[in-house]
Amino acid sequence: MSNVGLKEAPSGRLDKNSIGVTHIVFFVVAAAAPMSALVGATPPAFAFGNIGVPAAFVTLGIVYLLFAIGFTAMTPFVKSAGGFYSYVTKGLGGPWGMAAAMLAFLAYFTIQIGIYAIFGVFVNATVGPLGYSLPWWVWSLALLVVVFLCGRQHVVFSGRLLGLCMIGEITLLTLFAIGVLIRGGGPDGLTSAGLRPTDFLAPGIGVVIVFVVGAFIGFEATAIFGEEAKDPARTIPRATYLAVGIITVFYAFCSWAIVQYYGAEKIMSIAGANLDTFYMTALQDILGNWAGYAMNILLLTSYFAALLSFHNTLNRYFFAFGRDGLVWKGLAKVHEKHKSPYVAGAVQVIIVTSVIAIFALIKADPYTTVFSGMVTVCGLSILLVQVLVAVAIFGLFSNGRQGKSIFRVRVAPLLSGIALAGAFLLVSVNVDLMTGSTNPLVYGLPALVILLAAGAVAMGLRIRTRNPALYKTLSAAFDDAEQAAQ
């Protein structure tokens, strides 16, 4: 471990006051990958869970809104680009901040590996009939190069590009949902089926939570760009509430529309028998054959948008780690022209390439092994780190509310923390459904995630004892970026 102290911390700094609410919202919603999340996650949620998927989106939306109320109360006190890492460090101290860093990094890294794998599978299936069939990892690595080049640009470039992708996905799915309304629904007409609490609070609720929680991955992006945001004390809360609202309403509306299209009595059986064509059939029937072609294209852009968002997020994690002296300080270098953490991006490309190469060499199935396994680890990691953030809110305001309401710094984080912990338990007992495997090792994934977090805490305690200078850097992670970089 480096002996770098606060004064020796690397001097890289990101471009302040460069992005506003709109760009940050694009990053969050793009990370949620509207097209791929609905088309990929909701069919198995209906098939193996229950018809309450729309109600699940609403419920989780409320939970994350409560989380955001407390989360954004910390924004004026946290200006580093470390995201959850910085927030937990501020509220609970360096060792717990290291646990949050480990969990968040694990979540975003594993989800992008999974998406690279499923992208390769989907492209191969699309162009294979045309005679361009290649191993899945070839397409994955080709996309990795594109993502790296885009992420190397100024953050505004990525924000605009993600916005275009997101608009296309949302437009097509919204047109479908409106078309269902105009048609008057399906065999049952228009009903409240799917939105009723009893639909969600029924057998299969754990399965539904497992698949629905992934739609909110990327939530942290509102905070991780705080150092580059214009007036972050106001921009971050607005972007957070807006992002949660858009994700919740959009997913709930579109999943409710698909329930209306197929009918409450038939949707579970139809989803189980037609996981791959569940949405394709409905979109082509409502909007015409052109919608099927558009969906194929937008699925590709959806995966790309999600990967670009996660790439940018991880770059800023590497940047924060380097600047705080936790790893090689060269990671804190920023591009002279674009003010982007380009060295962090290059290192990330090397790591991702290595992991994909390992999966390719052992001939792992890109869908059932790589994608499913990585998504499971991601879900467990992000839920656990969000529980830590909820606890950190209490830690930050333990000596006084500093002008914040008791609801904002006590009630909201308590309720959301309990709900997120419950979601973690539900995912833990349903890991076999996420991975499609009953291998005993699969059931150990929740314990592995917890052990990694505990190991990070132990490392932080060791640093505090043996390297006070570096621990001081950890404690400064939440300070203003310029101060932390001195």
Side-chain angles (χ1 to χ4, degrees):
M1 183 65 66
S2 170
N3 292 320
V4 178
L6 183 61
K7 291 184 179 181
E8 296 175 86
S11 59
R13 74 182 48 142
L14 301 173
D15 194 10
K16 299 181 68 174
N17 301 314
S18 60
I19 54 176
V21 172
T22 303
H23 287 121
I24 297 174
V25 170
F26 284 165
F27 276 106
V28 177
V29 180
M35 178 65 74
S36 56
L38 276 172
V39 174
T42 60
F46 282 120
F48 310 123
N50 57 48
I51 68 169
V53 175
F57 280 119
V58 173
T59 302
L60 278 174
I62 294 173
V63 169
Y64 278 114
L65 180 61
L66 289 170
F67 179 87
I69 290 172
F71 178 62
T72 56
M74 300 180 74
T75 301
F77 309 95
V78 185
K79 298 183 178 66
S80 172
F84 283 159
Y85 154 53
S86 301
Y87 278 67
V88 175
T89 299
K90 175 65 173 177
L92 300 177
W96 289 102
M98 289 193 67
M102 169 66 74
L103 290 168
F105 175 83
L106 186 63
Y108 292 118
F109 184 78
T110 53
I111 189 62
Q112 72 167 345
I113 294 296
I115 295 175
Y116 274 118
I118 199 65
F119 176 86
V121 171
F122 183 79
V123 173
N124 218 30
T126 302
V127 304
L130 302 177
Y132 297 100
S133 181
L134 293 170
W136 66 270
W137 51 268
V138 174
W139 301 112
S140 300
L141 293 177
L143 179 62
L144 175 61
V145 173
V146 176
V147 168
F148 167 68
L149 293 176
C150 291
R152 190 169 179 269
Q153 302 298 309
H154 192 281
V155 68
V156 171
F157 173 85
S158 292
R160 289 171 178 169
L161 191 58
L162 290 172
L164 291 174
C165 295
M166 181 191 71
I167 290 170
E169 298 174 47
I170 289 180
T171 299
L172 182 63
L173 290 168
T174 300
L175 286 174
F176 160 72
I178 293 174
V180 172
L181 286 177
I182 294 174
R183 179 179 287 192
D188 303 326
L190 293 175
T191 70
S192 60
L195 287 171
R196 298 179 297 233
T198 53
D199 294 332
F200 173 49
L201 302 174
I205 179 176
V207 180
V208 173
I209 289 291
V210 166
F211 288 103
V212 168
V213 73
F216 292 89
I217 291 175
F219 187 88
E220 181 187 3
T222 58
I224 207 164
F225 295 100
E227 188 171 322
E228 297 158 279
K230 302 172 184 176
D231 189 9
R234 299 180 63 181
T235 299
I236 300 305
R238 289 179 180 179
T240 303
Y241 297 140
L242 187 57
V244 171
I246 290 174
I247 291 172
T248 301
V249 173
F250 177 73
Y251 283 126
F253 178 47
C254 291
S255 58
W256 171 80
I258 202 73
V259 172
Q260 304 310 299
Y261 175 81
Y262 284 114
E265 297 296 325
K266 299 180 179 179
I267 187 168
M268 292 179 65
S269 60
I270 293 175
N274 304 278
L275 289 173
D276 295 338
T277 59
F278 184 68
Y279 272 92
M280 177 74 75
T281 300
L283 260 69
Q284 288 181 323
D285 182 41
I286 293 293
L287 301 176
N289 289 335
W290 69 269
Y293 298 112
M295 194 184 87
N296 282 333
I297 295 173
L298 289 172
L299 267 174
L300 291 177
T301 61
S302 180
Y303 290 133
F304 165 72
L307 287 169
L308 180 57
S309 181
F310 290 130
H311 179 81
N312 276 288
T313 297
L314 281 169
N315 284 354
R316 282 150 183 81
Y317 262 103
F318 279 127
F319 172 86
F321 295 165
R323 187 175 60 193
D324 292 341
L326 295 176
V327 292
W328 176 49
K329 60 185 179 181
L331 292 173
K333 292 182 180 179
V334 297
H335 195 280
E336 183 177 350
K337 177 181 178 182
H338 303 302
K339 303 298 182 183
S340 60
Y342 73 105
V343 175
V347 170
Q348 189 185 167
V349 167
I350 294 172
I351 298 173
V352 172
T353 300
S354 300
V355 173
I356 291 176
I358 291 173
F359 281 126
L361 288 172
I362 65 175
K363 300 186 184 303
D365 185 276
Y367 188 84
T368 60
T369 301
V370 184
F371 177 73
S372 298
M374 295 297 100
V375 169
T376 302
V377 175
C378 172
L380 290 166
S381 301
I382 203 65
L383 284 169
L384 195 54
V385 75
Q386 287 167 349
V387 171
L388 282 180
V389 173
V391 176
I393 297 169
F394 283 89
L396 176 61
F397 297 102
S398 60
N399 295 323
R401 292 186 279 114
Q402 303 190 50
K404 310 294 183 182
S405 70
I406 191 170
F407 179 80
R408 191 171 187 187
V409 299
R410 296 286 189 273
V411 178
L414 176 63
L415 293 176
S416 62
I418 292 173
L420 291 167
F424 176 84
L425 292 176
L426 283 171
V427 173
S428 297
V429 299
N430 286 282
V431 289
D432 56 332
L433 293 169
M434 287 289 288
T435 61
S437 172
T438 56
N439 188 309
L441 294 176
V442 169
Y443 293 100
L445 288 177
L448 175 62
V449 171
I450 293 173
L451 285 174
L452 286 173
V457 173
M459 182 182 296
L461 292 172
R462 182 180 181 184
I463 292 173
R464 185 169 67 182
T465 301
R466 300 189 178 185
N467 195 337
L470 181 57
Y471 185 78
K472 185 179 180 181
T473 301
L474 273 176
S475 299
F478 50 80
D479 287 336
D480 182 85
E482 293 184 6
Q483 179 181 343
Q486 291 174 358

